[in-house]
Amino acid sequence: MTSPDLAALRPRLPSPVEEITDRRFGRRGVRLLLKRDDLIHPDLIGNKWRKLAPNLTAAAGRTVVTFGGAYSNHLRATAAAGRLLGLSTVGVVRGQELSDRPLNPSLARCAADGMRLHFVDRSTYRRKSEPETLAAILRGAGAEDAYVVPEGGSNALAVRGCRTLGEELRARADVDVVALACGTGGTLAGLAAGLAPDQRALGIPVLKGGFLSADIEELQKRAFGGRQGDWSLDDRFHFGGYARVPAELDAFAEDFEQRHGVPVERLYVAKLLYGLIALADEGTFPRGSTVAAVITGRPLP
């Protein structure tokens, strides 16, 4: 088997950087830049490209199996990659009860892109990293010889792929802080490793629980042998947990879109931007600072 030609997909790299004028930052003497990773590719958006590309190369044409919930953007990106590159994909979906229900728009898009969906009960899904459980899942899915990509796409290959994001911003001597929303932590783990020594990375977790620091350190250990870069997390802006989008957050995102003409993805990007405005208002960023917010995704139908 041979590796797919990812260059044929013509990704827009490096992704563009745009400065926006927002008085909520300006009154604190802070510049805000947007690192538009949402413009890398129309189907493999943002950090999905950066994490999937090295794994698709490593799969070398084998079936790709990966994991996610019913609204997983990672599943959608993997399915799209399969369609574009002619690869067989299997999505292991959390929640056996979903197998008897009509597919939601996200899973329907995966199926339309050729992904075979395999539903497992939530208890089994929680144990998917255990070798025996994983082997049983692969047998059940008829994909024992497949290449496995973890939930969210975060493994050592993905982390090293995300280091290029930091390297692209390393060239910007005016950038002091690079901020992004975090799910599994793989993008932050790689980003921090690629930044300059005088730049720091700030992660805004979208899940509650306070477990992400240890996960990021473990990902950096696997990818680079140990902790890399200056990074920290602020876990105050998850709005109740993953996929929670209360009216306040939705209204904030709509207002940001109207102010700046930038589409705001609700599950990750909205929480990032909301958090940055709150931190600026608290005086977290010294006057004269430049903050680059990584736009890792865009709203999907």
Side-chain angles (χ1 to χ4, degrees), residues 41-44 72-91 103 105-117 300:
H41 189 277
D43 292 297
L44 303 180
S72 169
N73 288 336
H74 169 66
L75 287 183
R76 287 182 63 152
T78 305
R83 170 177 55 83
L84 293 166
L85 296 169
L87 298 174
S88 174
T89 60
V90 177
L103 297 179
S106 184
L107 293 179
R109 181 68 261 171
C110 291
D113 279 341
M115 175 175 274
R116 185 158 52 86
L117 301 175
L300 295 174

Short mmCIF file of all heavy atoms in Angstrom, two decimals, residues 41-44 72-91 103 105-117 300:
data_model
loop_
_atom_site.label_atom_id
_atom_site.label_comp_id
_atom_site.label_asym_id
_atom_site.label_seq_id
_atom_site.Cartn_x
_atom_site.Cartn_y
_atom_site.Cartn_z
N HIS A 41 -8.43 24.33 4.55
CA HIS A 41 -9.08 23.47 3.56
C HIS A 41 -10.57 23.46 3.86
O HIS A 41 -10.97 23.43 5.03
CB HIS A 41 -8.50 22.04 3.62
CG HIS A 41 -8.94 21.16 2.50
ND1 HIS A 41 -10.14 20.48 2.50
CD2 HIS A 41 -8.34 20.84 1.31
CE1 HIS A 41 -10.26 19.79 1.38
NE2 HIS A 41 -9.20 20.00 0.64
N PRO A 42 -11.43 23.47 2.84
CA PRO A 42 -12.87 23.54 3.10
C PRO A 42 -13.44 22.32 3.82
O PRO A 42 -14.47 22.43 4.49
CB PRO A 42 -13.48 23.69 1.70
CG PRO A 42 -12.42 23.23 0.76
CD PRO A 42 -11.12 23.55 1.41
N ASP A 43 -12.81 21.17 3.69
CA ASP A 43 -13.32 19.95 4.33
C ASP A 43 -12.47 19.49 5.51
O ASP A 43 -13.00 18.92 6.47
CB ASP A 43 -13.40 18.81 3.31
CG ASP A 43 -14.46 19.07 2.26
OD1 ASP A 43 -15.65 19.16 2.62
OD2 ASP A 43 -14.11 19.19 1.08
N LEU A 44 -11.17 19.69 5.43
CA LEU A 44 -10.26 19.32 6.53
C LEU A 44 -9.82 20.62 7.19
O LEU A 44 -8.81 21.21 6.83
CB LEU A 44 -9.07 18.53 6.00
CG LEU A 44 -9.41 17.25 5.24
CD1 LEU A 44 -8.16 16.55 4.76
CD2 LEU A 44 -10.26 16.32 6.09
N SER A 72 -19.19 14.76 16.55
CA SER A 72 -17.74 14.93 16.47
C SER A 72 -17.30 15.54 15.14
O SER A 72 -17.53 14.98 14.06
CB SER A 72 -17.06 13.57 16.65
OG SER A 72 -15.69 13.64 16.33
N ASN A 73 -16.64 16.70 15.23
CA ASN A 73 -16.04 17.29 14.03
C ASN A 73 -14.88 16.44 13.53
O ASN A 73 -14.57 16.44 12.33
CB ASN A 73 -15.55 18.71 14.33
CG ASN A 73 -16.70 19.70 14.49
OD1 ASN A 73 -17.80 19.47 13.97
ND2 ASN A 73 -16.45 20.77 15.21
N HIS A 74 -14.22 15.74 14.45
CA HIS A 74 -13.12 14.87 14.05
C HIS A 74 -13.62 13.73 13.16
O HIS A 74 -12.98 13.40 12.15
CB HIS A 74 -12.42 14.31 15.29
CG HIS A 74 -11.45 13.22 15.01
ND1 HIS A 74 -10.28 13.43 14.31
CD2 HIS A 74 -11.47 11.90 15.31
CE1 HIS A 74 -9.62 12.29 14.19
NE2 HIS A 74 -10.32 11.35 14.79
N LEU A 75 -14.76 13.13 13.51
CA LEU A 75 -15.32 12.09 12.65
C LEU A 75 -15.65 12.65 11.27
O LEU A 75 -15.37 12.02 10.25
CB LEU A 75 -16.58 11.49 13.28
CG LEU A 75 -16.41 10.57 14.49
CD1 LEU A 75 -17.76 10.02 14.92
CD2 LEU A 75 -15.45 9.42 14.19
N ARG A 76 -16.23 13.84 11.25
CA ARG A 76 -16.58 14.44 9.96
C ARG A 76 -15.35 14.70 9.11
O ARG A 76 -15.35 14.46 7.90
CB ARG A 76 -17.36 15.74 10.18
CG ARG A 76 -18.77 15.52 10.65
CD ARG A 76 -19.55 16.80 10.81
NE ARG A 76 -19.72 17.54 9.56
CZ ARG A 76 -20.74 18.35 9.31
NH1 ARG A 76 -21.69 18.52 10.22
NH2 ARG A 76 -20.83 19.00 8.18
N ALA A 77 -14.29 15.18 9.73
CA ALA A 77 -13.07 15.46 8.98
C ALA A 77 -12.44 14.18 8.45
O ALA A 77 -11.97 14.12 7.31
CB ALA A 77 -12.08 16.21 9.86
N THR A 78 -12.45 13.13 9.27
CA THR A 78 -11.88 11.85 8.83
C THR A 78 -12.68 11.27 7.69
O THR A 78 -12.11 10.74 6.71
CB THR A 78 -11.82 10.87 10.01
OG1 THR A 78 -11.09 11.46 11.10
CG2 THR A 78 -11.13 9.58 9.61
N ALA A 79 -14.00 11.36 7.78
CA ALA A 79 -14.84 10.86 6.70
C ALA A 79 -14.59 11.64 5.41
O ALA A 79 -14.51 11.06 4.32
CB ALA A 79 -16.31 10.96 7.11
N ALA A 80 -14.46 12.96 5.53
CA ALA A 80 -14.18 13.78 4.35
C ALA A 80 -12.84 13.41 3.73
O ALA A 80 -12.71 13.35 2.50
CB ALA A 80 -14.21 15.26 4.73
N ALA A 81 -11.85 13.17 4.58
CA ALA A 81 -10.54 12.76 4.07
C ALA A 81 -10.65 11.44 3.31
O ALA A 81 -10.02 11.27 2.25
CB ALA A 81 -9.55 12.63 5.22
N GLY A 82 -11.44 10.53 3.84
CA GLY A 82 -11.64 9.26 3.14
C GLY A 82 -12.24 9.46 1.76
O GLY A 82 -11.78 8.85 0.77
N ARG A 83 -13.25 10.33 1.69
CA ARG A 83 -13.87 10.61 0.39
C ARG A 83 -12.89 11.24 -0.58
O ARG A 83 -12.79 10.85 -1.75
CB ARG A 83 -15.08 11.52 0.60
CG ARG A 83 -15.66 12.08 -0.70
CD ARG A 83 -16.91 12.92 -0.46
NE ARG A 83 -16.71 13.99 0.51
CZ ARG A 83 -16.18 15.18 0.22
NH1 ARG A 83 -15.75 15.44 -1.02
NH2 ARG A 83 -16.07 16.11 1.14
N LEU A 84 -12.13 12.22 -0.11
CA LEU A 84 -11.24 12.96 -0.99
C LEU A 84 -10.06 12.12 -1.46
O LEU A 84 -9.55 12.31 -2.57
CB LEU A 84 -10.73 14.21 -0.27
CG LEU A 84 -11.78 15.28 0.02
CD1 LEU A 84 -11.23 16.29 1.02
CD2 LEU A 84 -12.20 15.98 -1.26
N LEU A 85 -9.60 11.20 -0.60
CA LEU A 85 -8.39 10.45 -0.90
C LEU A 85 -8.66 9.00 -1.30
O LEU A 85 -7.73 8.25 -1.57
CB LEU A 85 -7.46 10.47 0.33
CG LEU A 85 -6.94 11.85 0.73
CD1 LEU A 85 -6.27 11.79 2.09
CD2 LEU A 85 -5.99 12.40 -0.32
N GLY A 86 -9.93 8.60 -1.32
CA GLY A 86 -10.27 7.24 -1.69
C GLY A 86 -9.89 6.22 -0.64
O GLY A 86 -9.56 5.08 -0.96
N LEU A 87 -9.95 6.63 0.65
CA LEU A 87 -9.62 5.73 1.75
C LEU A 87 -10.88 5.21 2.42
O LEU A 87 -11.88 5.92 2.53
CB LEU A 87 -8.79 6.47 2.81
CG LEU A 87 -7.42 7.01 2.39
CD1 LEU A 87 -6.83 7.84 3.53
CD2 LEU A 87 -6.49 5.86 2.03
N SER A 88 -10.82 3.97 2.89
CA SER A 88 -11.91 3.40 3.66
C SER A 88 -11.82 3.90 5.10
O SER A 88 -10.74 3.90 5.69
CB SER A 88 -11.83 1.88 3.63
OG SER A 88 -12.79 1.30 4.49
N THR A 89 -12.93 4.35 5.66
CA THR A 89 -12.94 4.86 7.04
C THR A 89 -14.06 4.22 7.84
O THR A 89 -15.14 3.93 7.31
CB THR A 89 -13.11 6.39 7.08
OG1 THR A 89 -14.35 6.75 6.47
CG2 THR A 89 -11.96 7.09 6.36
N VAL A 90 -13.79 4.04 9.13
CA VAL A 90 -14.78 3.52 10.07
C VAL A 90 -14.82 4.46 11.26
O VAL A 90 -13.78 4.78 11.84
CB VAL A 90 -14.45 2.09 10.55
CG1 VAL A 90 -15.46 1.62 11.59
CG2 VAL A 90 -14.39 1.13 9.37
N GLY A 91 -16.01 4.91 11.63
CA GLY A 91 -16.18 5.77 12.80
C GLY A 91 -16.83 4.99 13.93
O GLY A 91 -17.96 4.51 13.77
N LEU A 103 -29.99 9.12 11.83
CA LEU A 103 -28.71 9.80 11.98
C LEU A 103 -28.91 11.31 12.07
O LEU A 103 -29.70 11.89 11.31
CB LEU A 103 -27.79 9.49 10.79
CG LEU A 103 -27.39 8.03 10.59
CD1 LEU A 103 -26.50 7.89 9.36
CD2 LEU A 103 -26.67 7.48 11.82
N PRO A 105 -27.54 15.27 11.60
CA PRO A 105 -26.87 15.81 10.41
C PRO A 105 -25.37 15.54 10.36
O PRO A 105 -24.80 15.33 9.29
CB PRO A 105 -27.17 17.31 10.50
CG PRO A 105 -28.46 17.39 11.26
CD PRO A 105 -28.38 16.28 12.27
N SER A 106 -24.70 15.53 11.54
CA SER A 106 -23.26 15.30 11.56
C SER A 106 -22.92 13.87 11.14
O SER A 106 -22.06 13.65 10.28
CB SER A 106 -22.72 15.59 12.96
OG SER A 106 -21.31 15.47 12.99
N LEU A 107 -23.60 12.90 11.74
CA LEU A 107 -23.34 11.50 11.38
C LEU A 107 -23.83 11.18 9.97
O LEU A 107 -23.22 10.36 9.26
CB LEU A 107 -23.99 10.57 12.39
CG LEU A 107 -23.41 10.61 13.81
CD1 LEU A 107 -24.16 9.66 14.73
CD2 LEU A 107 -21.91 10.27 13.80
N ALA A 108 -24.91 11.84 9.55
CA ALA A 108 -25.38 11.64 8.18
C ALA A 108 -24.35 12.11 7.17
O ALA A 108 -24.15 11.49 6.12
CB ALA A 108 -26.70 12.37 7.98
N ARG A 109 -23.65 13.21 7.49
CA ARG A 109 -22.58 13.70 6.62
C ARG A 109 -21.44 12.69 6.57
O ARG A 109 -20.87 12.44 5.49
CB ARG A 109 -22.08 15.05 7.14
CG ARG A 109 -20.99 15.72 6.34
CD ARG A 109 -21.49 16.17 5.00
NE ARG A 109 -21.13 15.23 3.93
CZ ARG A 109 -21.59 15.31 2.70
NH1 ARG A 109 -22.45 16.25 2.36
NH2 ARG A 109 -21.22 14.44 1.79
N CYS A 110 -21.11 12.10 7.71
CA CYS A 110 -20.06 11.08 7.73
C CYS A 110 -20.43 9.91 6.82
O CYS A 110 -19.62 9.43 6.02
CB CYS A 110 -19.85 10.57 9.16
SG CYS A 110 -19.11 11.75 10.30
N ALA A 111 -21.67 9.44 6.97
CA ALA A 111 -22.12 8.31 6.15
C ALA A 111 -22.13 8.67 4.68
O ALA A 111 -21.75 7.85 3.83
CB ALA A 111 -23.50 7.87 6.62
N ALA A 112 -22.56 9.89 4.35
CA ALA A 112 -22.59 10.32 2.95
C ALA A 112 -21.19 10.36 2.36
O ALA A 112 -21.01 10.15 1.15
CB ALA A 112 -23.26 11.68 2.84
N ASP A 113 -20.19 10.62 3.20
CA ASP A 113 -18.80 10.64 2.74
C ASP A 113 -18.18 9.25 2.71
O ASP A 113 -16.98 9.12 2.44
CB ASP A 113 -17.97 11.57 3.63
CG ASP A 113 -18.13 13.03 3.26
OD1 ASP A 113 -18.59 13.31 2.13
OD2 ASP A 113 -17.79 13.90 4.07
N GLY A 114 -18.97 8.23 3.00
CA GLY A 114 -18.49 6.86 2.87
C GLY A 114 -17.99 6.23 4.15
O GLY A 114 -17.51 5.09 4.13
N MET A 115 -18.08 6.93 5.28
CA MET A 115 -17.63 6.35 6.54
C MET A 115 -18.64 5.31 7.02
O MET A 115 -19.85 5.55 7.04
CB MET A 115 -17.46 7.44 7.61
CG MET A 115 -17.12 6.91 9.00
SD MET A 115 -16.78 8.24 10.20
CE MET A 115 -15.01 8.50 9.88
N ARG A 116 -18.13 4.16 7.41
CA ARG A 116 -18.97 3.12 8.01
C ARG A 116 -19.04 3.37 9.51
O ARG A 116 -18.00 3.47 10.17
CB ARG A 116 -18.38 1.74 7.71
CG ARG A 116 -19.23 0.59 8.18
CD ARG A 116 -18.90 -0.68 7.41
NE ARG A 116 -17.48 -0.97 7.41
CZ ARG A 116 -16.86 -1.66 8.38
NH1 ARG A 116 -17.53 -2.09 9.43
NH2 ARG A 116 -15.56 -1.91 8.29
N LEU A 117 -20.24 3.51 10.04
CA LEU A 117 -20.42 3.84 11.44
C LEU A 117 -20.64 2.58 12.27
O LEU A 117 -21.42 1.70 11.90
CB LEU A 117 -21.61 4.79 11.61
CG LEU A 117 -21.52 6.12 10.85
CD1 LEU A 117 -22.81 6.91 10.99
CD2 LEU A 117 -20.33 6.94 11.33
N LEU A 300 -20.43 24.45 11.02
CA LEU A 300 -20.76 23.45 10.02
C LEU A 300 -22.27 23.24 9.98
O LEU A 300 -22.93 23.27 11.02
CB LEU A 300 -20.07 22.11 10.35
CG LEU A 300 -18.55 22.12 10.31
CD1 LEU A 300 -18.01 20.79 10.80
CD2 LEU A 300 -18.04 22.41 8.91
#
